[in-house]
């Protein structure tokens, strides 16, 4: 029984399978019913159910040969991407008693070329359309290829459409009565005008916001919306109709470039919207790469085959959409309300695109309004929600800004109070305070300047700090001036705090003011500044009771030691003579000490110094000699004696000496004529001191200045005498 049952079951299955195959063969070869134009609906009728297709595999088939081929019923409006020629056949018959004027519209602007034939007219091409055909050749000046036809009462004919394209082969062909077609165009022009106008207003509004606030998010949104408008103009055929109606090659390729432009601006907008560089570094890097490559492909995509660019574009779009969802849900998880608007905006856009695809594929009738306008509705909601997201973000930023403004006002008040306290401290300080810029120019000084030098703060503003340094009789090579310049440059280069002794000019007293200077840097609103603290060198109280003193020193070859030692050796002289004499003695001792270092220990000749001073690199020349072992190891000895009657100095170096008689005989007028900046020290010393006596070698000198006129008696020998 079981065997009989299984045999009967197998027989039934074989019979059912044969019937199914016969049914499919019957349906596949079943003739297409003729289309009656007199029965057209007001919204138009799709031609897919009435059309048959034949693919010219070899290419170049003539019209006569094509008519002999076997056509197959069209089951879908989308036939994929194929460079082959597709022939479509639509049998038509007017069953009414009137002449029917009707229009066949190919609702797809990206076809390269479409040609229309009628069987009644033979192989004559009646109409042509597509973006490979100049726009002016279209029988109806409309963004989609549309062909006007007429069919008399009871007349039969066959419409042949030859379509050749490198993009997607889509048979989105609809038939309309003439009056319904032009009414449709008028209505859609109004709606699309409102649609594109709204997008442009939104784009320009965000550009204005960017120009007002300099917030990059508004700029990226403006670029994103603008690129979207451009690509939709191209996809809807308006760009070809109005911008480049005769540039067929450009019209055929520009959509590819504009699509990559949209991909780049989308990635940039998402990055800036979420501030991905700071919050999501990984996503930021991915989106940066996509935007960069997209901008490159915007330029070179014009020359790349359509199939390859489509695959790259889909790849980029998939990654970008994944990043959009990731960032959106990340923001939503962090309770960021703008992220909710952001996700809603992209969902609306995807749903609109999905409705378009379903209508394009024939799954939804084009008569369904929401499907017909799916892209426009989805895009409008998309832009509106993104604008709301930006507005909500602006609201949050406004609140944050208000809070920060309050904080800034409080900080401003605190700063004003701090500045007031600083100004009071600055002006009330006992020591002189100066602020300098990076060029050494004085920007501010407190009132102590008047007490210290006699100059008012306004008189020294914008002057160089070195203009305050005293130089004897205007000598520009004064060691005091050179050392002060060296310390200032050292601080400006290293930013390290420096301290040194110097002498300031005095406005009403033509004498130097010994001071101690400290330079240190600080940051201000205008950049790095220098704060100079200048204080008087305090007097030794015990010096008032001084009767006499003597000291011995052994000094190395640094020029600043000459300045320090000359101050030290004349610091107690004020008990026995006036300031004018003190200044002269100090200046002369400093010059003799410098000569002992330069010409004695460092072995610098008169001519070498003259040459290096002319070239302006004298200080570098000095430092080079100091680093040489032979010269650097030498030292200078100084003996000093002071009492109420006289002050004496004995200065000896370890050099080879010099012909002091030759120098003593130099003419001062000749020095001035030759513009020598040295050699005057010895001449000045002879005028100041009563005794200037060199040893025979010329490396030791005795200087004596009588503070009281000496009596005429035989002087007792002392340690200052030179044998």
């Amino acid at each position: 029984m079981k065997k009989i049952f299984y045999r009967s079951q197998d027989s039934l299955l074989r019979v059912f399978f044969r019937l199914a195959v016969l049914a499919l063969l019957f349906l596949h070869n079943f003739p297409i019913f003729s289309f009656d134009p007199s029965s057209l609906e007001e919204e138009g009728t799709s031609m897919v159910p009435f059309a048959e297709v034949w693919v010219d595999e070899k290419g170049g088939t003539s019209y006569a040969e094509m008519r002999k081929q076997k056509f197959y019923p069209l089951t879908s409006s989308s036939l994929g991407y194929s460079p082959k020629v597709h022939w479509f056949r639509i049998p038509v018959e007017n069953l009414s008693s009137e002449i029917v004027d009707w229009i066949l519209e190919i609702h797809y602007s990206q076809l390269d070329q479409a040609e229309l034939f009628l069987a009644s007219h033979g192989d004559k091409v009646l109409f042509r359309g597509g973006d490979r055909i100049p726009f002016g050749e279209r029988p109806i000046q409309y963004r989609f290829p549309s062909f006007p036809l007429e069919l008399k009462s009871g007349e039969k004919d066959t419409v042949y459409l030859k379509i050749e394209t490198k993009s997607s082969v889509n048979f989105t062909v609809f038939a309309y009565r003439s009056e319904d077609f032009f009414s449709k165009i008028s209505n859609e022009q109004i709606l699309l005008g409102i649609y594109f106008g709204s997008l442009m207003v939104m784009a320009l509004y965000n550009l204005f916001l960017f120009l007002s606030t300099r917030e990059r998010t508004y700029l990226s949104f403006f670029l994103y919306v603008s690129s979207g408008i451009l690509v939709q103009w191209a996809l809807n055929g308006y760009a070809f109709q109005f911008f480049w109606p005769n540039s067929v090659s450009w019209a055929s390729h520009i959509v590819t470039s504009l699509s990559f432009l949209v991909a780049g601006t989308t990635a940039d907008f998402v990055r800036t919207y979420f501030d991905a560089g700071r919050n999501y570094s990984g996503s930021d890097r991915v989106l940066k790469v996509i935007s960069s490559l997209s901008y490159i492909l915007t330029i070179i995509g014009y020359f790349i085959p359509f199939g390859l660019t489509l695959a790259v574009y889909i790849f980029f779009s998939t990654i970008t959409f994944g990043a959009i969802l990731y960032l959106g849900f990340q923001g939503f998880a962090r309770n960021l309300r703008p992220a909710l608007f952001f996700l809603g905006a992209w969902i609306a856009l995807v749903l609109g695109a999905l409705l378009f695809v379903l209508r394009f594929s024939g799954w939804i009738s084009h008569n369904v309004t929401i499907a017909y306008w799916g892209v426009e509705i989805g895009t409008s909601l998309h832009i509106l929600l993104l604008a709301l997201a930006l507005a909500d973000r602006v609201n949050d930023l406004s609140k944050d800004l208000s809070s920060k403004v309050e904080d800034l006002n409080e900080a401003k008040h605190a700063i004003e109070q701090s500045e007031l306290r600083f100004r009071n401290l600055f002006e009330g300080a006992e020591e002189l305070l100066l602020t300098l810029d990076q060029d050494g120019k004085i920007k501010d000084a407190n009132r102590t300047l008047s007490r210290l030098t006699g100059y008012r703060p306004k008189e020294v503003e914008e002057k160089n700090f070195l203009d305050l340094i005293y130089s004897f009789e205007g000598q520009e090579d004064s060691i005091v001036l050179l050392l002060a310049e060296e310390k200032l440059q050292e601080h400006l280069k290293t930013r390290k705090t420096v301290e040194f002794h110097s002498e300031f000019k005095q406005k009403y007293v033509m004498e130097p003011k010994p001071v101690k200077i400290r330079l240190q840097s600080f940051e201000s609103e205008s950049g790095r500044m220098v704060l100079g603290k200048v204080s008087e060198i305090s007097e030794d109280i015990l010096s008032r009771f001084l009767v006499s003193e003597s000291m011995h020193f052994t000094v190395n070859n640094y020029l600043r030691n000459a300045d320090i030692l000359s101050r030290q050796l004349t610091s107690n002289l004020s008990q026995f003579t006036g300031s004018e004499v003190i200044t002269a003695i100090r200046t002369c001792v400093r010059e003799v000490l410098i000569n002992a270092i330069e010409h004695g220990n460092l072995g610098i000749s008169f001519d070498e110094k003259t040459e290096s001073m002319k070239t302006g690199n004298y200080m570098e020349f000095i430092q080079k000699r100091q680093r040489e072992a032979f010269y650097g190891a030498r030292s200078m000895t100084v003996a000093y004696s002071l009492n109420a009657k006289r002050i004496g100095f004995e200065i000896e170096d370890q050099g080879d000496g010099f012909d002091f008689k030759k120098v003593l005989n130099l003419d001062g007028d000749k020095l001035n004529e030759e513009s020598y900046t040295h050699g005057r020290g010895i001449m000045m010393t002879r005028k100041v001191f009563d005794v200037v006596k060199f040893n025979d070698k010329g490396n030791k000198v005795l200087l004596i200045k009588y503070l009281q006129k000496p009596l005429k008696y035989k002087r007792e020998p002392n340690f200052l005498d030179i044998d």
Side-chain angles (χ1 to χ4, degrees), residues 322-586:
I324 288 170
L325 293 178
Y326 171 76
L327 294 175
F329 283 112
Q330 284 289 321
F332 184 70
R334 293 168 56 189
N335 295 321
L336 297 177
R337 191 168 62 175
L340 183 61
F341 288 109
F342 185 83
L343 285 173
W346 289 99
I347 291 173
L349 182 65
V350 170
L351 289 177
L354 180 62
L355 286 173
F356 172 78
V357 171
L358 292 175
R359 179 181 69 85
F360 209 72
S361 302
W363 290 88
I364 299 178
S365 171
H366 83 289
N367 295 331
V368 179
T369 303
I370 193 172
Y372 187 85
W373 297 98
V375 171
E376 288 76 12
I377 293 172
T379 303
S380 299
L381 288 174
H382 174 70
I383 299 300
L384 177 62
L385 288 172
L386 286 179
L388 289 174
L390 287 175
D392 193 67
R393 185 181 179 191
V394 170
N395 186 40
D396 290 341
L397 290 174
S398 178
K399 291 179 181 178
D400 185 52
L401 182 61
S402 299
S403 175
K404 288 183 178 179
V405 168
E406 293 179 2
D407 294 340
L408 286 174
N409 287 332
E410 294 178 1
K412 180 183 177 183
H413 180 70
I415 290 172
E416 289 174 349
Q417 293 297 317
S418 176
E419 287 181 348
L420 181 61
R421 288 193 296 270
F422 172 76
R423 176 54 60 179
N424 291 335
L425 291 172
F426 184 80
E427 293 294 343
E430 286 294 326
E431 57 187 0
L432 170 60
L433 298 178
L434 302 166
T435 56
L436 316 175
D437 63 13
Q438 289 302 295
D439 296 323
K441 289 185 178 180
I442 300 171
K443 294 299 181 182
D444 198 4
N446 66 356
R447 291 177 297 206
T448 305
L449 179 69
S450 300
R451 178 179 61 80
L452 204 61
T453 66
Y455 293 103
R456 290 177 296 156
K458 290 291 183 182
E459 293 181 88
V460 300
E461 286 184 8
E462 297 302 323
K463 288 188 175 182
N464 195 289
F465 171 72
L466 297 176
D467 292 339
L468 293 177
I469 302 300
Y470 177 82
S471 58
F472 185 76
E473 295 182 354
Q475 289 184 359
E476 295 181 359
D477 66 326
S478 166
I479 186 62
V480 178
L481 186 60
L482 290 174
L483 289 174
E485 182 179 10
E486 182 183 21
K487 288 294 183 182
L488 177 61
Q489 293 302 321
E490 177 187 342
H491 173 71
L492 293 176
K493 289 179 181 179
T494 65
R495 302 189 183 185
K496 293 181 180 179
T497 301
V498 296
E499 291 186 358
F500 59 99
H501 288 76
S502 190
E503 295 173 346
F504 268 9
K505 294 177 182 177
Q506 297 187 79
K507 184 175 182 181
Y508 302 108
V509 182
M510 305 307 293
E511 297 177 1
K513 184 75 173 180
V515 292
K516 179 181 179 181
I517 302 173
R518 177 186 174 91
L519 300 177
Q520 62 187 73
S521 291
F522 69 96
E523 295 295 333
S524 68
E525 293 180 358
S526 57
R528 190 163 66 91
M529 302 286 288
V530 178
L531 176 64
K533 295 182 179 180
V534 183
S535 57
E536 296 181 79
I537 297 177
S538 58
E539 180 187 3
D540 185 359
I541 298 176
L542 291 177
S543 66
R544 300 176 184 177
F545 310 105
L546 180 69
V547 176
S548 66
E549 69 173 355
S550 62
M551 289 183 282
H552 291 77
F553 298 90
T554 300
V555 186
N556 60 22
N557 296 316
Y558 291 109
L559 290 181
R560 63 174 174 270
N561 291 333
D563 182 60
I564 296 171
L565 193 55
S566 64
R567 296 175 191 281
Q568 177 66 33
L569 298 180
T570 57
S571 61
N572 294 325
L573 196 54
S574 60
Q575 305 303 313
F576 306 106
T577 188
S579 60
E580 185 176 347
V581 175
I582 295 172
T583 300
I585 293 174
R586 179 182 298 148

Side-chain angles (χ1 to χ4, degrees), residues 254-322:
I254 190 61
V255 172
T256 301
S257 295
L258 291 178
S259 297
F260 281 115
L261 179 62
V262 171
T265 56
T266 302
D268 278 340
F269 170 64
V270 174
R271 285 179 53 241
T272 55
Y273 183 87
F274 285 101
D275 196 6
R278 186 170 59 180
N279 300 321
Y280 309 97
S281 58
S283 298
D284 182 67
R285 286 192 294 271
V286 172
L287 292 173
K288 267 186 179 178
V289 171
I290 289 176
S291 65
S292 300
L293 293 176
S294 296
Y295 291 137
I296 293 172
L297 289 170
T298 299
I299 300 172
I300 66 174
Y302 183 92
F303 308 99
I304 301 176
F306 181 79
L308 178 60
T309 55
L310 179 66
V312 174
Y313 178 76
I314 292 174
F315 177 70
F316 282 1
S317 300
T318 303
I319 295 177
T320 304
F321 188 67

